[in-house]
Amino acid sequence: MGGILSDLRVVEGSAFVAAPLAGMTLAQRVAEVIRFDPIGGGLDRHRWPVTKDGKSLYWASLNKGKRSIQVDIRQPEGRELIQALVAAPGPGNGLFLTNFPAEGWLAYEEMKRRRADLVMVAIRGQPDGAAAVDYTVNAAAGFPMATGHEDTDGPINHVLPAWDIATGLSAAFGLLAAERHRRITGKGQLVRLSLMDSALAMLGHLGILAEVQVNGVDRPRVGNDLYGAFGRDFACSDGQRVMIVALTDRQWRAVVEATGTAERIAAVEKTLGLDFRKEGHRFEARDSLNPMIGAWISARSYEEVARVFGEKGVLFERYQSFGELVAGDPRCSLANPLFGEVDQPGIGKVLTPGSLLDFGAAPRTQPVRAPELGEHTDQVLAEALGLSSAQIGGLRDRGIVA
Amino acid sequence: MGGILSDLRVVEGSAFVAAPLAGMTLAQRVAEVIRFDPIGGGLDRHRWPVTKDGKSLYWASLNKGKRSIQVDIRQPEGRELIQALVAAPGPGNGLFLTNFPAEGWLAYEEMKRRRADLVMVAIRGQPDGAAAVDYTVNAAAGFPMATGHEDTDGPINHVLPAWDIATGLSAAFGLLAAERHRRITGKGQLVRLSLMDSALAMLGHLGILAEVQVNGVDRPRVGNDLYGAFGRDFACSDGQRVMIVALTDRQWRAVVEATGTAERIAAVEKTLGLDFRKEGHRFEARDSLNPMIGAWISARSYEEVARVFGEKGVLFERYQSFGELVAGDPRCSLANPLFGEVDQPGIGKVLTPGSLLDFGAAPRTQPVRAPELGEHTDQVLAEALGLSSAQIGGLRDRGIVA
């Protein structure tokens, strides 16, 4: 296939977002990723969104380009097959990615008895292996209490499973780093990460933990204002809304120039004793600045606002719903090389993103549909494990695979 | 240092979150990452949160473990130094990560004239290279119109820069994949990605784009309810709030058993003609189910709720603010091996996360503080470029470096 990771074969035992996303991130660069599921499908088989017939758009979207096998891992013979698959010989094999509890027959110590240089990436919920999902992690991580308008009472949950995404992408990175280490040293390893640690790490990396410790500040809700600089949403005269951001001095000058507010803003600056070349001062004065900028915008249609902002180089974007994004944004269409059209059995033709990474040495290929459950059972057993048709037939007859 | 990527040296030209996070993800595995900035610092030098003295906790948190050099890239001699550094010989060199506009002297075609097998990862805002930041991308991506309570009017911005995170982690993955390709083929390449494409890709991978296209559904706000299954926040009698999730049938049975609502829920199931073993049916009946579960919780203190939920295996988590997380959650303390304590000059001792990936073959080391701006200018020029003290002194005298 000529892909950038085409010599690798990853076995994935997974459900929900983080581990499937990690596997798909690899699969999109044309590594072979084999996802195994219980016969009839895993816990995420029916996860919403679903079609009117109950087919999961979520599952199809998170498992694009993988091979699917169905194995009854409650039976010893089924577990034996998975262990053999994970431990299959060859330099590109022996890569196992899972969010199943890494214990019993799935423990690293157990799995590596079959292949000493196994690379296993184990995603957990909590650092100690206890259960957690994105939505529970997010409750602990503080963001729901810092999201929304100042007068909100109680938490506001996120809709994007951001911790699943951070964990899944980190798992893909970890697998490549460990595989690289194996190529250099010949040694495999277990790589562990958790949803909760992903959230805690990002809280630290963004300076939020330090802010609590050093400043003693429990960051309050600031509505849609961008913390520490100028930025927020404004409504145009036709009801369209725009997000404006001025992190840099140049971006700020563009906002001031576009809205013709230079004199009044200079007066505010003087009155308050602030220096709006400093991004923090723009934030501190937001209750004075927002109405001035807002008045200019609310007197104009989105079309006019966009024209002037474009001319002056204001950094802005129109708010749109998912539906508006799909219906009218050229970035979310085949005009963007990120996308292809995929005909997904039982679902139909859907605009489908490929890899978000554009590798110069391995040009983008069309995105590939998700498998049907068990679509590749026979093929994988034959090609990866060398089983004969008769052996595969026997496994099917005994209900070990499907 | 014995780290898992310790033979790599990455040059980073960056500001804000995505590219610095990518570099730090690499630096935390003991690759050497050299960040270059203009003399006096880049555009993110004063980004909030800041200490009372104006020192950026954000900058310190996103640049841990890197080396810092200050170079005046407006001068040809400064640009020459950066190009030489990027193109330095050796198999672990020639890795360049940037979110600066990859044009002019920073264009890949220009840079690779110095080293044909250069790997360059270029992060942009828009797919076409136009400017965008997390907060503008998020406005276009649809989430602000789907976040918050059903009766919310207008957008609710996220506080976590989720697209920066997705982009930064993907960039780190992309760099490793390209470096692997170079090790195998000898060939370098340009790898491109953008904040906007990261958002669009995740919208596709989560099935949200397909939902619009196939079902014609523009997903509405559903408050804090978990879309398509049972899950939401509930208040205890003492005002503490918990997030409960029942994605799986087992998790749902635990909720029902813990709250003693089996009979009443069975009655609802019958009345509505639903089957609560199906996660989607639990979502459709949320207006009936939530009050029953909520009544049990609101009659009990958090302590009692947590005890019963723990016994019954309910998947839940208490909501906490950033301050409460730092003050009282053992996961956010030195008891979690993710963390170490770092003494950051000008800031003080802060609880600091290391790598969220725990590599068995390269045990976690203590997190490392961020550099002071230009702390390693002399060292890098001497070690990586072989410049003499006299040459470095000359560069300093001419204001090329600091």
Side-chain angles (χ1 to χ4, degrees):
Chain A
M1 299 252 253
I4 198 161
L5 300 169
S6 58
D7 56 323
L8 299 181
R9 176 191 281 150
V10 177
V11 178
E12 175 191 313
S14 71
F16 300 115
V17 180
L21 177 64
M24 197 176 62
T25 298
L26 296 160
Q28 286 183 320
R29 299 319 311 186
V30 206
E32 182 184 29
V33 176
I34 301 167
R35 173 168 166 160
F36 68 86
D37 278 292
I39 294 172
L43 293 171
D44 57 349
R45 183 73 188 117
H46 302 293
R47 184 80 183 95
W48 279 34
V50 293
T51 65
K52 290 176 180 67
D53 301 329
K55 183 128 183 163
S56 175
L57 299 168
Y58 170 102
W59 199 95
S61 300
L62 278 163
N63 293 291
K64 294 186 286 278
K66 299 179 189 172
R67 298 191 183 188
S68 168
I69 64 174
Q70 292 186 104
V71 180
D72 185 355
I73 57 175
R74 293 167 308 182
Q75 301 193 53
E77 219 176 332
R79 297 199 286 266
E80 168 68 24
L81 282 176
I82 298 301
Q83 286 183 327
L85 195 58
V86 167
N93 287 334
L95 303 170
F96 181 42
L97 167 68
T98 191
N99 69 317
F100 296 157
E103 49 198 42
W105 72 282
L106 276 178
Y108 170 67
E109 295 299 330
E110 189 65 30
M111 298 293 270
K112 83 166 184 179
R113 288 165 61 177
R114 306 286 296 259
R115 178 166 176 158
D117 70 349
L118 174 68
V119 166
M120 174 166 164
V121 177
I123 297 176
R124 291 105 54 96
Q126 300 287 355
D128 66 0
V133 295
D134 178 279
Y135 311 96
T136 57
V137 164
N138 196 45
F143 287 96
M145 306 308 284
T147 301
H149 297 289
E150 291 83 342
D151 56 358
T152 302
D153 186 31
I156 295 183
N157 288 352
H158 63 189
V159 173
L160 177 77
W163 309 122
D164 276 329
I165 290 172
T167 305
L169 295 174
S170 295
F173 172 82
L175 188 137
L176 274 198
E179 192 273 340
R180 181 180 190 280
H181 187 256
R182 185 173 76 177
R183 287 175 65 86
I184 294 171
T185 67
K187 289 179 184 157
Q189 65 183 301
L190 172 64
V191 183
R192 295 184 301 177
L193 70 167
S194 71
L195 293 171
M196 187 70 200
D197 274 357
S198 298
L200 291 166
M202 293 304 152
L203 280 162
H205 298 341
L206 293 166
I208 294 173
L209 299 182
E211 183 175 32
V212 173
Q213 296 171 82
V214 176
N215 293 354
V217 168
D218 200 357
R219 190 186 300 189
R221 297 180 204 268
V222 294
N224 284 341
D225 282 281
L226 176 60
Y227 188 64
F230 178 82
R232 65 161 289 170
D233 68 304
F234 295 97
C236 305
S237 63
D238 53 8
Q240 302 274 8
R241 281 175 184 268
V242 288
M243 176 74 196
I244 305 180
V245 171
L247 282 162
T248 69
D249 191 39
R250 192 165 64 82
Q251 289 164 350
W252 172 241
R253 282 186 275 112
V255 172
V256 173
E257 198 184 328
T259 56
T261 48
E263 279 183 34
R264 291 162 62 208
I265 283 176
V268 170
E269 211 167 7
K270 201 171 170 187
T271 307
L272 299 179
L274 296 173
D275 176 357
F276 291 153
R277 287 172 301 182
K278 297 182 177 173
E279 61 200 84
H281 287 197
R282 301 197 286 270
F283 178 69
E284 287 167 10
R286 63 192 182 281
D287 290 341
S288 302
L289 296 175
N290 288 342
M292 277 189 260
I293 309 295
W296 186 88
I297 295 171
S298 67
R300 284 160 181 83
S301 68
Y302 170 70
E303 198 180 345
E304 188 175 351
V305 168
R307 183 181 57 76
V308 177
F309 280 5
E311 283 169 13
K312 302 296 184 185
V314 173
L315 183 56
F316 77 104
E317 184 78 55
R318 190 175 69 86
Y319 283 90
Q320 52 191 357
S321 69
F322 299 133
E324 291 171 305
L325 172 69
V326 173
D329 193 323
R331 294 169 295 189
C332 189
S333 77
L334 294 175
N336 182 345
L338 173 69
F339 286 102
E341 189 172 69
V342 163
D343 194 350
Q344 186 68 41
I347 289 174
K349 288 187 180 172
V350 280
L351 183 74
T352 302
S355 170
L356 65 91
L357 289 156
D358 186 7
F359 288 93
R364 279 180 161 137
T365 51
Q366 283 296 301
V368 176
R369 69 171 174 85
E372 293 291 282
L373 259 184
E375 180 174 341
H376 304 98
T377 301
D378 289 5
Q379 182 188 351
V380 166
L381 295 178
E383 290 179 9
L385 294 182
L387 300 192
S388 68
S389 302
Q391 288 171 309
I392 296 169
L395 288 167
R396 283 188 174 272
D397 291 344
R398 293 194 299 284
I400 308 295
V401 304
Chain B
M1 298 255 252
I4 198 162
L5 300 170
S6 58
D7 56 324
L8 299 182
R9 175 191 282 151
V10 177
V11 178
E12 176 191 313
S14 71
F16 300 113
V17 181
L21 177 64
M24 197 177 60
T25 298
L26 296 160
Q28 286 182 319
R29 299 318 310 185
V30 207
E32 183 184 27
V33 176
I34 301 167
R35 173 169 164 159
F36 68 86
D37 278 292
I39 294 172
L43 294 171
D44 57 349
R45 184 72 189 117
H46 302 293
R47 185 81 184 93
W48 279 33
V50 294
T51 66
K52 290 175 181 66
D53 302 327
K55 183 129 182 163
S56 175
L57 300 168
Y58 171 102
W59 199 95
S61 300
L62 278 163
N63 293 291
K64 294 187 286 278
K66 300 179 189 173
R67 298 192 183 185
S68 170
I69 63 174
Q70 293 186 105
V71 181
D72 184 354
I73 56 175
R74 292 168 308 180
Q75 301 193 53
E77 220 176 332
R79 297 200 286 266
E80 167 69 26
L81 282 176
I82 298 301
Q83 287 184 327
L85 195 59
V86 166
N93 288 333
L95 303 170
F96 181 42
L97 167 69
T98 191
N99 68 316
F100 295 158
E103 50 198 41
W105 71 281
L106 276 176
Y108 168 68
E109 295 300 331
E110 189 64 30
M111 299 293 269
K112 83 166 183 179
R113 288 165 60 177
R114 305 288 294 260
R115 179 166 174 158
D117 70 349
L118 173 68
V119 166
M120 174 166 164
V121 177
I123 297 176
R124 291 104 56 91
Q126 299 287 354
D128 66 2
V133 294
D134 179 278
Y135 311 95
T136 57
V137 164
N138 197 43
F143 287 96
M145 304 308 284
T147 301
H149 298 290
E150 291 84 340
D151 56 0
T152 302
D153 186 30
I156 295 182
N157 287 354
H158 63 190
V159 174
L160 176 77
W163 308 123
D164 276 329
I165 291 173
T167 304
L169 295 173
S170 295
F173 172 82
L175 188 137
L176 274 198
E179 192 273 339
R180 181 180 191 279
H181 186 257
R182 185 173 76 178
R183 287 175 64 85
I184 294 171
T185 67
K187 290 180 184 157
Q189 64 182 302
L190 171 64
V191 183
R192 296 183 300 177
L193 70 167
S194 71
L195 293 171
M196 188 70 202
D197 273 358
S198 297
L200 291 167
M202 293 305 152
L203 280 163
H205 298 341
L206 293 166
I208 294 173
L209 299 182
E211 184 176 32
V212 174
Q213 296 172 80
V214 176
N215 293 355
V217 169
D218 200 357
R219 192 187 297 188
R221 297 180 204 268
V222 295
N224 284 341
D225 283 282
L226 176 61
Y227 189 63
F230 178 81
R232 64 161 288 170
D233 69 303
F234 295 96
C236 306
S237 63
D238 52 9
Q240 303 274 7
R241 282 175 183 267
V242 287
M243 177 74 198
I244 306 180
V245 172
L247 282 162
T248 69
D249 190 39
R250 191 165 65 80
Q251 289 164 348
W252 172 241
R253 282 185 276 112
V255 171
V256 173
E257 198 185 326
T259 55
T261 48
E263 278 184 34
R264 290 163 60 209
I265 283 176
V268 170
E269 210 166 9
K270 202 172 167 185
T271 306
L272 299 178
L274 297 173
D275 176 358
F276 290 153
R277 288 172 300 182
K278 296 182 177 173
E279 61 201 83
H281 287 197
R282 301 197 287 270
F283 178 70
E284 287 167 8
R286 64 192 182 280
D287 290 342
S288 302
L289 296 175
N290 288 340
M292 278 190 258
I293 309 296
W296 185 89
I297 295 170
S298 68
R300 285 161 181 82
S301 68
Y302 170 70
E303 197 181 346
E304 188 175 349
V305 168
R307 184 181 57 75
V308 177
F309 280 5
E311 284 169 13
K312 301 296 184 184
V314 173
L315 182 56
F316 76 105
E317 184 79 54
R318 188 173 71 85
Y319 282 90
Q320 53 192 359
S321 69
F322 299 132
E324 291 171 306
L325 172 69
V326 172
D329 193 324
R331 293 170 296 189
C332 188
S333 77
L334 293 174
N336 182 346
L338 173 68
F339 286 103
E341 191 173 68
V342 164
D343 195 350
Q344 185 68 41
I347 289 174
K349 289 187 179 172
V350 279
L351 182 73
T352 302
S355 170
L356 65 90
L357 288 156
D358 187 7
F359 288 92
R364 278 182 163 135
T365 51
Q366 284 296 301
V368 177
R369 70 171 173 84
E372 293 293 282
L373 257 184
E375 180 174 341
H376 304 97
T377 300
D378 289 4
Q379 182 187 353
V380 166
L381 295 178
E383 291 180 8
L385 294 182
L387 299 193
S388 68
S389 303
Q391 289 172 308
I392 295 170
L395 288 167
R396 283 189 174 273
D397 291 344
R398 293 194 298 284
I400 309 293
V401 305

